Amino acid sequence: MNKAEQSVLKVAHLGIAFGGLKAVNDFNIEIGKSELYGLIGPNGAGKTTVFNLLTGVYEPTEGAIFLNGEKMNGKKTHQMVQAGIARTFQNIRLFKKMTALENVKVAMNMSMKYSLGSAIFRLPSYWKEESEVNIKAKELLEVVNLGDKADFIAENLPYGQQRRLEIARALATGMKLLLLDEPAAGMNPTETAELLDIINVIRTKFNISVLLIEHDMSLVMKICEKIQVIDYGVTIAFGTPAEIANNPKVIEAYLGKEDE
């Protein structure tokens, strides 16, 4: 298989244990280029633990993670970002006192090429790159419908807009795989509908793959091409939205076993 044919993300037999308790066990997933994939399960199923493994927050005790064919095991979080994995969080983690534009520009820091001397003495190379970064950051804010909020302080934005700003900041890393951890949490129906449109736009515009954790099942069923369900750290189902919606194991995991 050549590089172009490889999956963007391939995870084989991934697992992690905390004090003898297996939080994730024998987890396997494969996501193709530009694919939108859902990871769902009841509270405490291990979904965020999977995200923490994929982003270097935790190191797996077993199994392997491959991004575009390159093994990621042992890499730190910043190395995962450099390799092409970016994420948002359940709890918003913005630089609250910075503007929306500054939040996006921070994520471009690793790609900046001007020298320390150029920055100190404000040489032409510094101003040229700063101008390019400003333009790119503003374009990303437009993508998430925040083009008119560039100069707003992040903490003063409404909740739904802060969620979208997190996505813009993740996009600014130039990732190949975007992990969205409950992006619709706390949103009203109008904000959720806008979010759905934005996710579809960025997947198409940037040709990236998306792995989504979400409790809003209507959003998951509308947007995801494939869905994987885990419970107690173990995969219990995989398939299309229609297959998952009618799977007895999934229904039991969410609603409990029906009394006979």
Side-chain angles (χ1 to χ4, degrees):
M1 179 182 288
N2 63 43
K3 193 82 170 177
E5 293 172 330
Q6 289 175 339
S7 301
V8 172
L9 177 72
K10 185 172 183 179
V11 172
H13 309 296
L14 199 65
I16 187 169
F18 299 104
L21 175 66
K22 285 201 170 183
V24 174
N25 185 31
D26 196 25
F27 181 80
N28 301 274
I29 194 170
E30 190 165 356
I31 301 177
K33 192 172 184 180
S34 299
E35 192 168 27
L36 215 162
Y37 200 109
L39 179 64
I40 67 172
N43 287 329
K47 304 181 296 297
T48 296
T49 301
V50 169
F51 268 29
N52 286 337
L53 288 166
L54 297 179
T55 53
V57 176
Y58 299 150
E59 187 169 351
T61 50
E62 56 190 35
I65 302 167
F66 297 92
L67 183 70
N68 286 336
E70 180 184 353
K71 193 171 184 179
M72 295 287 107
N73 291 54
K75 292 188 181 294
K76 304 297 183 184
T77 299
H78 71 278
Q79 294 172 316
M80 291 290 202
V81 174
Q82 288 174 326
I85 299 177
R87 74 177 290 184
T88 63
F89 295 85
Q90 286 181 7
N91 300 313
I92 294 172
R93 297 187 186 181
L94 295 170
F95 297 103
K96 294 183 179 181
K97 301 296 182 182
M98 295 169 63
T99 66
L101 184 67
E102 289 168 341
N103 266 276
V104 177
K105 287 174 65 177
V106 163
M108 301 181 193
N109 184 58
M110 288 186 295
S111 64
M112 304 291 272
K113 296 182 176 60
Y114 58 71
S115 66
L116 179 61
S118 295
I120 292 173
F121 296 106
R122 296 299 195 263
L123 299 180
S125 59
Y126 165 82
W127 289 115
K128 179 178 183 294
E129 194 163 1
E130 277 293 309
S131 175
E132 291 170 352
V133 166
N134 265 314
I135 291 170
K136 182 178 177 183
K138 288 178 180 178
E139 288 174 348
L140 292 174
L141 288 174
E142 290 285 355
V143 170
V144 298
N145 298 339
L146 291 176
D148 60 342
K149 301 293 190 299
D151 296 324
F152 280 57
I153 299 299
E155 68 178 357
N156 294 335
L157 293 171
Y159 181 84
Q161 292 181 9
Q162 290 188 35
R163 282 279 181 192
R164 301 207 306 272
L165 179 55
E166 266 205 320
I167 293 174
R169 188 176 62 182
L171 291 172
T173 66
M175 89 306 295
K176 305 176 183 74
L177 174 67
L178 176 60
L179 309 182
L180 299 176
D181 195 347
E182 297 191 34
M187 288 187 176
N188 62 43
T190 301
E191 291 171 331
T192 300
E194 186 175 13
L195 174 68
L196 189 151
D197 290 339
I198 287 171
I199 293 173
N200 276 322
V201 166
I202 63 177
R203 193 260 297 254
T204 304
K205 182 179 178 68
F206 297 98
N207 200 27
I208 61 174
S209 306
V210 179
L211 178 58
L212 170 76
I213 291 176
E214 185 53 66
H215 283 295
D216 185 333
M217 287 301 102
S218 63
L219 174 64
V220 173
M221 295 298 171
K222 286 176 185 174
I223 203 170
C224 294
E225 297 158 309
K226 296 177 184 175
I227 299 172
Q228 188 161 334
V229 188
I230 61 174
D231 194 20
Y232 296 106
V234 177
T235 297
I236 61 170
F238 166 80
T240 65
E243 290 168 340
I244 293 301
N246 296 294
N247 187 300
K249 289 184 179 179
V250 176
I251 295 169
E252 181 181 328
Y254 275 94
L255 302 178
K257 195 168 185 179
E258 186 179 351
D259 259 342
E260 295 181 355

